[in-house]
Each structure stands twice: as C-alpha cells, then as structure tokens.
Amino acid sequence: MISFDSMKSMLDESYKHVACSSCKSRGHGLFNGISGAELDTLEAQRACNFYKKTQSLFVEGSTPRGVYCVNHGKVKVFKRGEEGKEQIIHIAKAGDLIGFRAMFSGELYKVAAESLEDSNICFIAKEDFLNMIEFNPALRNGIFKELSKELSDRADFITNMAQKSVRERLAFSLLILMDIYGEDPINLSREDLANFVGTATETLIRLLKEFKEDGCLEIEVRKLRVIDKTKLISLAGN
Amino acid sequence: MISFDSMKSMLDESYKHVACSSCKSRGHGLFNGISGAELDTLEAQRACNFYKKTQSLFVEGSTPRGVYCVNHGKVKVFKRGEEGKEQIIHIAKAGDLIGFRAMFSGELYKVAAESLEDSNICFIAKEDFLNMIEFNPALRNGIFKELSKELSDRADFITNMAQKSVRERLAFSLLILMDIYGEDPINLSREDLANFVGTATETLIRLLKEFKEDGCLEIEVRKLRVIDKTKLISLAGN
DNA sequence: AAATAAATATGATTTTCGTCATTTTTTAGC
DNA sequence: GCTAAAAAATGACGAAAATCATATTTATTT
C-alpha cells in the first residue's frame, strides 16, 4: 500500500510535468547556461518521472542510458562493499544531476542510486545529453567544473576517512547534510547515516546521543536538527 | 649535495628535452588523439623541466597556471589533514597528467604535488591547454573520460577506507602500486606508503613484516617486490 | 671515516570502534 | 487496533589499530 503523501504526489500532475525553466538545476546547477531554444529542446527531450521513497534509479553493473536531473527530493549514490554494506558516496538534492560520470567513461555503472524520499526526477537520454554538450561550450565547461568539484570533494572525503575519528566524521557529515537539507531537518535512517559516515550503525547511534547531550543536536525518530553549528564545527576539527 | 644520479640526470640533455611524439602520454594517456599539426603546437608550447626527488610541483592553496605531464618518474598528489599528516590521493607515473582538475574549477589547488623520484615533467600553460581542448573534441572526450575514471576510482577508495581493515587496504594498495611501478620494485618510504594506505607508519611496518613472513613480499630498505600476487589479492578481500 | 640526522623497526599500552546479543520503539500490513 | 516486521537503542566484550617510548639501522653531512 502506498502512503497518502505518495498518492498525492503521484496524482498531482505538477509533480510529473515540471517545466525545465523553473527547475532548480537552472538556478545553481549545470543547466545554468541554457538559453531559450536549447531550453525548449531540453524540455521536449527529457522525461519526467516520479520515484517514491527507496525506489532504485539504477544499480551497480547496469548500462548507463542517460542522466538524471533531480527536480524535487533526495537521492543517495552509493557503492556496495564486499559484505554488501553500502557506502554512500554522495547525496543529491533538487537541481543536481546524477549519473553523468558514466556518460563519458563508456563503462557500466560503478555505483547505484536510490531515492531517499518521494522524488521527482527527470531523465535525459545519453545521445540527447551528449549532443547538447557537443554544441554548448558553456554547458561543457559546467560539466568540467562539476566533475572537478566532485573530484576535489572526494579527495577531502578520503582524507577525512583516513585521518579523522568517527566522531569528527559524523560532525563533518552533519555539516554537509545541513547544506543539502537546508531549512528542513536531516531526514535519514540511522543506517543510511552510518553508511554515509562510514561506521557501524550502533556506533553512530551512540554518537548521536552524545551530540544530543552536548546540546548541538535535536533528535526525533528519523529527523535530526542541528541547533549548535559552531559546536559541530569544532567537533569536526576543521 | 645532490646525488650522482641526480647530477647525471640534470646534465643529460635528453632528460630535459623530450619529444612529445615519444612521450608515454601519447601511448596510454590523454594526448592519444593528438595529430601532426597539434602535436607540433604542443611541442612548441610545453616547457620541459627536471625535478629531483622530493621537489614540489605545486602546493595546496596556490594558483593553478597549467597542467603537468609526467614524462619520466613518479609524482605523489596529496592533501594535508589537520595535524599536517599527508593523505596521498594519487600517484602519477610516466604519461600521466597532473593538475588539470584545477584548470576547470577556477579555484586554488586543493591538493599538493611532489616528485617521489628524479623526474622529467613538462608544463603546459593553462591558456594553451584550454585552447587545445576548445578545438579538439577527441582530447575533450579524453578529459571527460579521465575525470570520470578518477571519480570512479575515488568512490572505490572511499568505500575501501570505510569498510576494509588496514591489512586489506595495504594489500589493495600494493596491487595498485604494482600497476604503477610495473616491472620495477615499489619504491616508497614507509611513511609515504602509510599515507597512501591511510594508517600509522608503525602499523604499516608491522603489516609489511607479516606479508613478508606470509611469503608474498620481498622487502629491501626502500624497495618492495610482490612475489605472490594471488595471495595478495585474497588478502585484499576482493 | 666519524658524527649527526633521518628512517625504520619493535615493544608496551590505551583507545576507539566493531561485533554480537538483547530490548525497546516505531512502522507497516491486515 | 492488533500483529508482525523493521528500525532504533543499549550493554558487554573483544579485536584492531593508534600512540608513545625507545632501539636499531641506514643516509647524509662534515
């Protein structure tokens, strides 16, 4: 049985057919430099789909066929380690593009993606996307920039993983998640959060309790709200 | 005082002026799709320099002015954590390009690079490089592909860091280093190796001893030689 | 070649964190 | 609203790996 909210979203046509012109990806994202005619083309080519919570966009090892543009919602991008434990590499929010790495590598997906909440996500086929890039230098440079930024972020991620304690990593992760969730409370299962921080779920739960007792966090069942960012920054040791 | 080898390298002009046409970066690297006229331009624009061991190419926080193409030698790309401990993100070998991420991001270097051995490294100024990319779709796609590959590698790296034991990570790292060093023995200080694996130097030394006793590794002072790759693969748990 | 410095190695100890077992709470299905 | 299942929480324990102290070997300098 699907939830009332899901139902509402599925029925609400505005969720399914969102104009590219009003998509957040044009505000801060890659499609920033998209002009009138190209915008129309994009609008015509992309397919807009609704994903309810925990639905899969693509799995590790499958063939990339295009890129995904998050119009509304959140998506986790993750890898599975040997024992099947997920490592969340990235959490995409509205306006973010997913899966364009695989457009260029010519390889199968090395990661998987799954919605973390009810989401509205558009799909742009590989050839259409590559075509746009071919003839739009601004977009091309945007992609270069985005790939570069992600590379840099991952270098940080690696360094944190290698050198910081789980406590520091959690503090750091919460700061990142604050940016992603904005005004909303951070809405992740304990397991997902643990898989983002890179620790055991039990350890994560204990640390969250500590942070709460330290007065920098409010905890509801699935919702975390940072109430002392300054303290969190000092806990992250940066 | 510089070593005899360094001296020899510095005096040997063939080290300083290597033809792009015979550079390894054309064999397996980005400049694969470079044709006659462009190759000549590249040849004319690039400056070839000799770096002795432990010399810095660029430091964290400085302004990127171009890309570095390793003609001969090895270069470590690393980040410093809070307490100044290095985390090696990548080790570049002959034919690899370094620092092109920063070409596109418009930001300062977020990492540093330093030669691990006496090396011959060419420099291509930012504007020249961007110019080449602008007018060479094949090169452009090569860059996309390379950036994508590195992103994927780093996702693996993060997952390994988060989920594997130090022993497994060391085994995995040695396998990567085998590819980088090819026929040559792996030539890294214990500290550098520890900073690549992401562990304390003491822990690394103890594990190397174990691997040696297990018969998969031959250890000279600074040189490691894998003698049982199969065993190493099983130790890496992959 | 001796002296100093740097890198490597080893031992003892402590801390962090993962694992396993179990309980409590929350969510979803009927 | 009750039941089953899933998620969250807590406790006890042990293993892995960091830290600190110190010794030994190798490199560098004079």
Side-chain angles (χ1 to χ4, degrees):
Chain A
M1 180 51 142
I2 56 175
S3 72
F4 177 72
D5 272 349
S6 300
M7 182 70 95
K8 185 174 153 229
S9 301
M10 290 178 86
L11 293 173
D12 185 347
E13 285 299 307
S14 74
Y15 267 75
K16 278 215 164 180
H17 302 289
V18 186
C20 290
S21 51
S22 65
C23 179
K24 280 191 181 167
S25 73
R26 283 182 23 84
H28 72 275
L30 277 171
F31 292 128
N32 222 329
I34 290 281
S35 67
E38 279 171 326
L39 193 59
D40 293 343
T41 315
L42 181 60
E43 188 97 42
Q45 286 171 342
R46 71 91 171 72
C48 211
N49 288 111
F50 175 78
Y51 290 77
K52 54 181 183 169
K53 190 175 161 179
T54 75
Q55 240 184 297
S56 169
L57 277 72
F58 54 83
V59 297
E60 219 167 321
S62 60
T63 305
R65 307 200 185 281
V67 294
Y68 298 83
C69 180
V70 181
N71 173 69
H72 176 264
K74 304 271 184 297
V75 176
K76 66 175 172 185
V77 177
F78 62 96
K79 248 191 116 68
R80 281 184 196 284
E82 291 168 78
E83 274 98 41
K85 187 176 161 70
E86 291 179 9
Q87 176 60 43
I88 296 181
I89 305 293
H90 181 73
I91 294 179
K93 59 177 189 305
D96 290 344
L97 252 72
I98 298 167
F100 61 83
R101 185 209 70 80
M103 290 298 94
F104 310 115
S105 71
E107 295 168 336
L108 303 178
Y109 281 121
K110 297 280 178 68
V111 293
E114 187 184 303
S115 60
L116 285 166
E117 34 184 271
D118 289 357
S119 301
N120 218 43
I121 301 165
C122 298
F123 179 81
I124 302 148
K126 186 172 178 172
E127 49 184 10
D128 294 334
F129 186 68
L130 291 179
N131 212 35
M132 283 181 76
I133 287 175
E134 183 77 23
F135 298 107
N136 188 333
L139 179 58
R140 212 156 61 207
N141 288 334
I143 304 269
F144 274 133
K145 208 163 180 172
E146 182 61 27
L147 287 168
S148 299
K149 188 182 176 322
E150 284 190 26
L151 265 179
S152 174
D153 286 348
R154 289 187 190 183
D156 283 353
F157 209 136
I158 289 166
T159 308
N160 282 340
M161 280 291 182
Q163 301 190 4
K164 289 189 171 185
S165 67
V166 175
R167 176 177 288 103
E168 290 171 312
R169 263 148 51 198
L170 172 57
F172 191 77
S173 298
L174 287 172
L175 290 169
I176 293 173
L177 290 168
M178 274 183 82
D179 278 340
I180 295 173
Y181 281 85
E183 295 302 300
D184 302 324
I186 297 164
N187 183 359
L188 279 176
S189 72
R190 297 291 183 269
E191 195 179 353
D192 278 336
L193 188 49
N195 292 341
F196 187 47
V197 175
T199 188
T201 309
E202 295 95 321
T203 303
L204 177 110
I205 288 169
R206 282 179 248 265
L207 285 172
L208 278 184
K209 196 181 167 191
E210 271 187 43
F211 281 20
K212 182 185 170 190
E213 283 162 358
D214 286 357
C216 41
L217 210 59
E218 259 175 11
I219 304 182
E220 273 172 81
V221 180
R222 222 187 114 105
K223 291 187 162 86
L224 305 176
R225 201 181 288 274
V226 176
I227 50 181
D228 191 343
K229 190 174 175 180
T230 315
K231 198 161 195 171
L232 216 53
I233 291 171
S234 78
L235 276 168
N238 253 335
Chain B
M1 181 55 139
I2 57 176
S3 71
F4 176 72
D5 272 348
S6 301
M7 182 70 94
K8 182 173 154 234
S9 301
M10 289 177 89
L11 292 174
D12 184 348
E13 285 299 306
S14 74
Y15 266 77
K16 278 213 162 180
H17 301 289
V18 187
C20 290
S21 52
S22 65
C23 180
K24 281 192 180 164
S25 73
R26 284 185 21 86
H28 72 275
L30 278 171
F31 292 130
N32 222 329
I34 289 280
S35 67
E38 278 172 325
L39 191 59
D40 292 344
T41 315
L42 181 61
E43 187 98 41
Q45 286 172 341
R46 70 91 170 74
C48 209
N49 288 110
F50 175 79
Y51 290 76
K52 53 181 185 170
K53 190 176 164 179
T54 75
Q55 238 183 298
S56 169
L57 276 73
F58 53 82
V59 297
E60 218 168 321
S62 59
T63 305
R65 307 199 185 281
V67 294
Y68 299 82
C69 179
V70 181
N71 174 69
H72 176 263
K74 304 270 185 295
V75 176
K76 66 174 171 184
V77 177
F78 62 96
K79 249 190 115 70
R80 280 184 197 283
E82 292 169 77
E83 274 99 40
K85 187 177 161 68
E86 291 179 9
Q87 176 59 42
I88 297 180
I89 305 292
H90 181 74
I91 293 179
K93 60 179 188 305
D96 290 343
L97 251 71
I98 297 167
F100 63 82
R101 185 209 69 81
M103 290 298 94
F104 310 114
S105 71
E107 295 168 336
L108 302 179
Y109 281 120
K110 297 281 179 66
V111 293
E114 189 184 302
S115 60
L116 285 166
E117 33 185 90
D118 290 357
S119 302
N120 218 44
I121 301 165
C122 298
F123 178 81
I124 302 148
K126 185 172 179 171
E127 48 184 12
D128 294 334
F129 186 68
L130 291 179
N131 212 34
M132 284 180 75
I133 286 174
E134 184 78 23
F135 299 107
N136 187 332
L139 180 57
R140 212 155 63 208
N141 289 333
I143 304 269
F144 275 131
K145 209 164 180 170
E146 181 61 26
L147 287 168
S148 298
K149 188 181 176 322
E150 284 190 25
L151 265 179
S152 175
D153 286 348
R154 288 186 190 183
D156 283 352
F157 208 136
I158 290 166
T159 308
N160 281 341
M161 280 290 180
Q163 300 189 4
K164 288 190 172 184
S165 67
V166 175
R167 177 177 287 101
E168 289 171 313
R169 264 149 50 200
L170 172 57
F172 191 77
S173 298
L174 288 172
L175 291 169
I176 293 174
L177 290 168
M178 274 182 82
D179 278 341
I180 296 174
Y181 282 86
E183 295 302 301
D184 303 323
I186 296 164
N187 183 359
L188 280 175
S189 72
R190 299 291 182 268
E191 195 179 354
D192 278 336
L193 187 50
N195 291 342
F196 187 48
V197 175
T199 188
T201 310
E202 295 95 321
T203 304
L204 177 110
I205 288 168
R206 280 179 249 264
L207 285 172
L208 279 184
K209 196 182 167 189
E210 273 187 43
F211 281 20
K212 181 185 169 189
E213 283 162 359
D214 285 359
C216 42
L217 210 60
E218 259 175 8
I219 303 182
E220 275 173 78
V221 180
R222 220 188 114 106
K223 292 187 162 85
L224 306 175
R225 201 181 286 275
V226 176
I227 50 180
D228 191 343
K229 190 174 175 181
T230 315
K231 198 160 196 171
L232 216 52
I233 291 171
S234 78
L235 276 169
N238 253 333

